[in-house]
Amino acid sequence: MKTDTAVRDGILFVRLSGDLIGSPDTQQLLQSVDQHLGDELRHCTVDLSSIRYINSTGIGVLVSLLTKFRSRGGEMMLINPADHPRKMLALTKLNAIFSIADDEQSAAQQLKAAN
């Protein structure tokens, strides 16, 4: 899995590609987000449009990230999940828990409005 992160307008943008499964990459993702949390960020987006496959460990990583931001009074949004992640979110009924946006711009607008 490849991870790209950027901070814009007080929002952490994370773009993932490849497979979101239990691997050293997921630990690096969580550590990277933890480092940004020290910057007083309260909102995050995770772009899943380039994730081919996600397993239960990957779902757990997303839930962990959501918990980190909500416990700080913030929010996390998923951006345009690809077909397999979208099916897994529906199967686990987590699509009712996660907010999903079509693109970065609409996610940023919704997160700014939530302040």
Side-chain angles (χ1 to χ4, degrees):
M1 177 182 72
K2 184 176 179 214
T3 304
D4 293 314
T5 61
V7 177
R8 292 189 303 276
D9 296 326
I11 300 171
L12 175 62
F13 291 88
V14 178
R15 179 170 290 148
L16 304 176
S17 59
D19 297 333
L20 182 52
I21 56 177
S23 68
D25 294 336
T26 56
Q27 279 305 110
Q28 290 175 343
L29 168 63
L30 292 171
Q31 289 172 353
S32 173
V33 169
D34 283 344
Q35 289 173 346
H36 286 292
L37 285 175
D39 298 336
E40 299 300 318
L41 294 175
R42 292 183 37 239
H43 299 302
C44 176
T45 68
V46 180
D47 187 335
L48 297 177
S49 61
S50 297
I51 290 292
R52 296 179 304 237
Y53 179 80
I54 187 170
N55 66 6
S56 60
T57 303
I59 294 286
V61 167
L62 294 178
V63 170
S64 176
L65 291 174
L66 179 67
T67 302
K68 285 178 190 283
F69 284 94
R70 285 193 176 167
S71 68
R72 300 172 65 87
E75 187 59 66
M76 183 185 97
M77 294 190 74
L78 302 178
I79 297 175
N80 194 21
D83 191 45
H84 187 264
R86 191 176 293 273
K87 287 178 183 175
M88 287 297 289
L89 290 168
L91 181 68
T92 57
K93 302 205 184 313
L94 289 173
N95 56 344
I97 303 298
F98 286 100
S99 299
I100 299 174
D102 291 333
D103 54 41
E104 280 188 6
Q105 183 178 3
S106 62
Q109 289 172 344
Q110 291 178 50
L111 289 172
K112 286 178 188 174
N115 274 341

